[in-house]
Amino acid sequence: GNCIELNQPALMVVKPGESFSIGCKITGYSASGGGCTNWIRQATGKALEWIGWFCSSGDTGTSDTMKNKISFTAETSSNTVFLQGQNFQTEDTAAYYCARKHSATNCLGTCAIILVFSPCRLFVNTQT
């Protein structure tokens, strides 16, 4: 079908401010043929939040909350759209999805859960 999938580890851990990239592999339409890919995220206990889009025509944009945090590129040979992340903070921890834009066969890709944490906060020694 005209579905898309994130071809990345299901869990990605980044440190605050660290740059990273997620690839969304597309099948059923061309990343370079006018197709558009949306990006959505969902933090635990919160509603789905639309964060941006990338169209192969060059039309691209991000939501106000993600300005200066994400950008998009495409790789024609592998028919993959990439989300580049930067300046992520702990509040950006969420499941990130790519989705086909406005189509009869609209479907969400599988998600990559991106955990943003400070290592010193994670490895707390609880032993006395």
Side-chain angles (χ1 to χ4, degrees):
N2 296 342
C3 281
I4 50 190
E5 59 180 292
L6 280 167
N7 53 347
Q8 279 285 340
L11 182 64
M12 181 182 285
V13 179
V14 299
K15 295 173 185 156
E18 194 175 58
S19 296
F20 65 90
S21 179
I22 322 174
C24 177
K25 179 139 178 79
I26 297 165
T27 57
Y29 68 102
S30 172
S32 60
C36 297
T37 305
N38 274 336
W39 291 82
I40 299 162
R41 72 174 177 178
Q42 186 166 28
T44 306
K46 294 192 176 176
L48 281 170
E49 178 188 9
W50 174 86
I51 58 171
W53 78 94
F54 175 88
C55 299
S56 54
S57 59
D59 179 25
T60 183
T62 60
S63 66
D64 288 344
T65 54
M66 299 304 281
K67 285 250 187 303
N68 308 316
K69 286 190 174 186
I70 56 172
S71 57
F72 308 106
T73 56
E75 189 179 81
T76 312
S77 57
S78 62
N79 209 34
T80 301
V81 175
F82 292 94
L83 177 152
Q84 266 95 31
Q86 60 184 12
N87 303 324
F88 270 42
Q89 302 304 319
T90 50
E91 63 266 23
D92 294 310
T93 292
Y96 286 76
Y97 301 84
C98 51
R100 175 82 192 265
K101 184 178 182 182
H102 306 313
S103 157
T105 54
N106 194 33
C107 54
L108 283 175
T110 51
C111 68
I113 297 171
I114 300 174
L115 287 177
V116 188
F117 71 94
S118 303
C120 54
R121 206 179 304 168
L122 183 73
F123 301 114
V124 177
N125 189 343
T126 55
Q127 292 179 333
T128 52

